[in-house]
Amino acid sequence: MARRREFPVSPQPGSRSGRWLGLALLGLTVLAYLPALSCGFIWDDDAHLTQNPCIVGPLGFADIWTSAYARICPLVQSTFWLEYRLWGLEPMPYHLVTILMHAAASVVLWRVLRLLHVPGAWLGAALWALHPVQVESVAWITEMKNTQSGLFFLLAVLFFCRSRLAEAANTPAARARRDYILTLVFAAMALASKSSTVVLPLVLGLCGWWIDRGWRWRRNLLELTPLLVLSLAAGIVTLWTQQAEGAFDPEFARGFAERVASAGKVFWFYAGKLAWPDPLIFIYPRWRIDPATATAWLPAIAAAALLLGLWWQRERWTRGAFFAAAYFVIALGPVLGLVDTYFWRYSFVGDHFQYLASMGPLALAGAGLRAGFDALRSPPRWLLHAAGALILMTLGILTWRQCAMYRNDEILWTTTLRMNPASWSAHNNLAVELARQPGRSAEAIAHYEEALRLRPHHAQAHYNLAKEFAKIPGRRNDAIRHYEEALRIDPELGWAHLNLAALLTNTPGRELDAVAHYEETLRLIPGSAEAHYSLAIALWKIPGRDADVIANYREATRLRPDFADAHYNLALALVRQPDAHAEAAAHFESALRSRPDWPEAHYGYAILLSGLSRLPEAIAHYEEALRLGPDSPLVHYKLAEALYHSGRVADSISHLEVALQIDPNFEDARRRLAALRQQSRD
């Protein structure tokens, strides 16, 4: 029987040459992703970080672990929470942390491959680290879910392999137990960083099969059961948070047969992107599959045939290929489309979904390249190094260039639309970015309208378009129409109710509709001070609703104690109540504490103080109102009255004269001035 050829292995990671190789892998990875350091925050970074209430407030750290804000990554949210307290919302440090995590993961991958005696281990790890398909995971801050979970995932694999190899290496039992405990710790951290790592028990079982050259049932069950329990818990949390996010939208529902047929296409799509990473699109076209046609099943059948063929020949020459392919399928399991996630409404594939899975094929590619060179007769050593360097340099350049796509939202969505012009979500998101920029409203409207042409039932696009129309004189009715359409599609859009109500408040004959929408807003957003404030304004226009007006203004000021407008309007409403003047005075004072340079509030408070015979205070506020707004004839007139009742007739006459200079047709001031002059002569 022919002796099996043993592949030469790379230096031990702990050796001197191994340390240099590790540093080289770290350095090459950081160098390739340097352009990402100049990228900003992009899509979904607001939900995960910049506007996440658990990170920037008003919620806190505990809510990351106890509410649906955990999403599928509470440990990543916790990392963001810590980073926010270290450097706020400066994007560069977040990118640096993500790049370093990816670089560290590549070194751990090398150690895992080395531990499994995979030939070309360093090259395989470098191919994975520098492949441009990873840019989406590294340059997009939100996808620190991948880099952080990937690092912990690989550490769990590393320590599991060490514990499994301990028996053959005569390692002390205490060290093997320690390695297994570390496996559990890092597995829990990986699952808490991103729940797609639920495949970890299967991956570890595959590693055990590789190490033992067979399946050891009793040992595997004992070692993998705790990991299966952790994965089950993470899966339940994922289903809960995905349901809270609306992942199971009936509009995007698919039958089981369609899911299975589509999974085959997903498999080949990701394999193809590893072989030829062009084009790489942030949101790929969302394909349609008809499971009733035979051709729809060909990709799934081909994938199954490949796996079966590799398994059939595993003892001859395809054991490594089967291991890589099986790992690829297992790691892709959560993203094959068999289970719904929120992202499927945009596309069934995304570069970041194969972050972990790509390790298998790329490690196999590294092993194949090494084996190919070893098969040559005495190849020059420089040729091996030159070929490897050329491949890595090509990947590094592609990765460097791909990072530019993630510089900001406008570049991201413009680039996406250039390659996928039928992406309704890209049109909508580009429009959101354009709408923030002065003078680009027309461009934003054009993209919103294109998004709605591609997907007429997109409630958020109707809402966004309505907001743009509301800014344009003469487009009020268009804004109302799109708000109403957004709410017809999704009645739970609280802010659409609020904005529509604001328009209807000033639309004759629709005041009651405005009130109804404000009340619906408060059902959906019960802690909104703005909604209570706006509802009070709408109720003010309806006779007999004074008590409701006051109640809503009071609630607005309770929710936002510094809400100056609410304090001011509440004070005006309370002035009309004979027994509430003291409370009205308190709210005028609160309004002026928040906005001391508000002339109308000084004037209103002065009128109230005059009625309460607190003339010195009233005069002071009248004078402050005039200091802030000296051209008001009415304030001069009211101050003249207060001065007269304080015995300062000359000053009163002076202010009446100024009032008439500003407004010569002010008859009340003219009559009052004539009376005072007559009184002075008498």
Side-chain angles (χ1 to χ4, degrees):
M1 181 169 145
R3 184 183 175 197
R4 181 190 302 150
R5 180 175 182 180
E6 294 293 336
F7 292 109
V9 296
S10 56
Q12 290 283 355
S15 67
R16 182 174 180 179
S17 58
R19 285 193 293 271
W20 280 111
L21 283 172
L23 289 172
L25 186 54
L26 278 172
L28 286 173
T29 305
V30 171
L31 178 63
Y33 290 94
L34 276 180
L37 293 177
S38 62
C39 296
F41 296 114
I42 58 169
W43 183 55
D44 233 21
D45 288 342
D46 54 351
H48 284 84
L49 172 58
T50 61
Q51 296 178 30
N52 186 331
C54 298
I55 295 171
V56 301
L59 303 180
F61 184 81
D63 296 281
I64 293 173
W65 294 90
T66 58
S67 72
Y69 283 105
R71 296 177 180 267
I72 59 172
C73 53
L75 191 56
V76 170
Q77 304 274 17
S78 300
T79 304
F80 285 153
W81 184 91
L82 176 61
E83 289 187 272
Y84 175 69
R85 274 138 193 85
L86 291 174
W87 40 71
L89 291 179
E90 170 60 40
M92 192 276 284
Y94 292 92
H95 284 295
L96 179 60
V97 169
T98 300
I99 292 170
L100 292 175
M101 282 187 174
H102 179 62
S106 68
V107 174
V108 179
L109 175 60
W110 168 48
R111 297 195 62 175
V112 169
L113 295 176
R114 177 65 182 74
L115 203 60
L116 295 175
H117 295 283
V118 175
W122 189 91
L123 179 58
L127 290 173
W128 177 78
L130 300 179
H131 200 288
V133 81
Q134 314 298 8
V135 172
E136 188 167 294
S137 296
V138 181
W140 182 13
I141 291 174
T142 287
E143 281 310 312
M144 195 173 77
K145 292 180 290 186
N146 271 347
T147 56
Q148 180 170 303
S149 67
L151 176 59
F152 295 141
F153 175 93
L154 286 165
L155 285 169
V157 174
L158 176 69
F159 284 104
F160 177 83
C161 292
R162 284 178 49 164
S163 70
R164 181 59 66 93
L165 288 165
E167 181 179 310
N170 295 319
T171 302
R175 179 175 175 180
R177 283 195 300 273
R178 185 203 67 183
D179 287 341
Y180 178 70
I181 291 170
L182 287 172
T183 299
L184 295 178
V185 170
F186 286 118
M189 295 174 75
L191 289 163
S193 297
K194 189 175 184 180
S195 56
S196 60
T197 55
V198 291
V199 300
L200 185 57
L202 298 178
V203 170
L204 296 182
L206 187 64
C207 290
W209 170 83
W210 174 266
I211 291 168
D212 297 334
R213 304 192 68 83
W215 185 259
R216 298 170 63 176
W217 284 98
R218 185 172 182 275
R219 182 174 186 179
N220 286 333
L221 286 175
L222 285 173
E223 290 182 344
L224 297 181
T225 296
L227 292 155
L228 287 168
V229 171
L230 288 173
S231 292
L232 179 62
I236 291 171
V237 171
T238 297
L239 291 174
W240 171 48
T241 59
Q242 286 289 293
Q243 186 172 20
E245 288 185 13
F248 311 112
D249 191 329
E251 182 182 350
F252 301 99
R254 296 181 297 156
F256 181 73
E258 184 180 354
R259 294 169 186 268
V260 175
S262 179
K265 189 170 182 178
V266 171
F267 172 89
W268 292 110
F269 174 89
Y270 285 128
K273 287 300 175 185
L274 293 178
W276 189 258
D278 182 68
L280 297 178
I281 311 176
F282 190 66
I283 294 182
Y284 291 94
R286 189 179 190 269
W287 57 63
R288 292 183 178 274
I289 289 185
D290 182 3
T293 61
T295 55
W297 293 92
L298 291 179
I301 292 170
L306 174 66
L307 283 171
L308 288 173
L310 292 174
W311 171 257
W312 183 261
Q313 296 294 321
R314 68 191 182 280
E315 294 303 330
R316 295 183 62 187
W317 54 275
T318 64
R319 187 167 181 264
F322 171 77
F323 180 88
Y327 170 81
F328 189 57
V329 172
I330 290 170
L332 284 178
V335 296
L336 286 174
L338 300 175
V339 178
D340 280 330
T341 71
Y342 190 87
F343 194 83
W344 296 165
R345 66 190 59 209
Y346 309 121
S347 175
F348 295 125
V349 289
D351 293 340
H352 63 285
F353 287 129
Q354 69 159 323
Y355 183 75
L356 295 179
S358 59
M359 295 175 188
L362 293 174
L364 179 64
L369 288 169
R370 179 60 185 264
F373 277 106
D374 286 344
L376 298 175
R377 292 185 177 181
S378 303
R381 194 170 186 81
W382 67 265
L383 183 61
L384 173 62
H385 292 163
L390 180 61
I391 293 171
L392 295 181
M393 184 174 69
T394 301
L395 291 177
I397 291 172
L398 292 174
T399 291
W400 179 287
R401 292 179 58 190
Q402 186 68 14
C403 287
M405 180 176 173
Y406 297 86
R407 184 174 295 273
N408 57 52
D409 270 318
E410 185 174 352
I411 293 174
L412 176 68
W413 298 119
T414 301
T415 307
T416 299
L417 286 171
R418 187 174 67 247
M419 294 182 283
N420 180 15
S423 173
W424 54 266
S425 57
H427 279 290
N428 178 73
N429 293 329
L430 176 58
V432 170
E433 179 60 24
L434 293 172
R436 295 192 183 108
Q437 301 177 26
R440 305 193 71 178
S441 179
E443 295 175 73
I445 288 172
H447 282 287
Y448 284 136
E449 290 176 334
E450 182 62 13
L452 288 171
R453 187 189 68 79
L454 293 165
R455 188 185 166 203
H457 301 297
H458 187 197
Q460 191 66 40
H462 280 289
Y463 169 75
N464 291 337
L465 182 54
K467 286 201 300 182
E468 283 307 297
F469 281 145
K471 301 174 187 176
I472 302 173
R475 304 301 298 267
R476 179 190 196 85
N477 290 336
D478 292 324
I480 291 173
R481 176 168 57 85
H482 281 284
Y483 277 134
E484 290 177 335
E485 181 63 13
L487 290 170
R488 186 191 66 78
I489 298 166
D490 184 1
E492 301 297 299
L493 281 175
W495 294 109
H497 282 288
L498 180 62
N499 292 351
L500 175 57
L503 290 177
L504 296 178
T505 298
N506 298 311
T507 302
R510 301 206 63 180
E511 292 84 0
L512 292 177
D513 292 334
V515 168
H517 283 290
Y518 281 130
E519 290 173 341
E520 191 64 11
T521 301
L522 288 169
R523 182 185 70 81
L524 297 167
I525 316 173
S528 171
E530 289 76 10
H532 279 288
Y533 170 76
S534 299
L535 175 56
I537 291 175
L539 290 168
W540 184 280
K541 299 183 178 183
I542 301 174
R545 300 296 298 270
D546 287 6
D548 295 325
V549 168
I550 291 171
N552 279 283
Y553 278 139
R554 279 177 175 152
E555 185 63 11
T557 59
R558 185 189 70 79
L559 292 167
R560 266 188 56 191
D562 61 343
F563 198 161
D565 288 333
H567 281 291
Y568 174 70
N569 285 0
L570 176 54
L572 294 180
L574 291 169
V575 165
R576 299 164 62 177
Q577 309 296 316
D579 56 347
H581 288 176
E583 186 183 353
H587 286 287
F588 274 126
E589 290 170 358
S590 295
L592 288 168
R593 272 196 300 272
S594 298
R595 286 177 56 186
D597 57 348
W598 192 358
E600 289 82 5
H602 283 287
Y603 173 67
Y605 191 22
I607 290 176
L608 175 63
L609 293 170
S610 294
L612 295 174
S613 299
R614 294 165 58 181
L615 291 178
E617 295 170 78
I619 289 169
H621 282 284
Y622 280 133
E623 289 174 338
E624 183 64 13
L626 286 173
R627 186 186 69 80
L628 297 166
D631 296 328
S632 172
L634 187 58
V635 178
H636 280 286
Y637 177 78
K638 289 292 185 181
L639 174 55
E641 284 191 337
L643 290 168
Y644 173 77
H645 290 295
S646 299
R648 297 168 58 184
V649 177
D651 292 333
S652 177
I653 290 173
S654 176
H655 279 284
L656 289 170
E657 289 172 342
V658 174
L660 285 167
Q661 288 172 5
I662 298 170
D663 181 6
N665 297 317
F666 195 165
E667 291 301 324
D668 285 346
R670 188 179 303 281
R671 285 193 295 269
R672 186 63 176 156
L673 178 58
L676 288 183
R677 283 175 174 170
Q678 181 62 43
Q679 180 181 329
S680 298
R681 286 194 294 269
D682 293 342

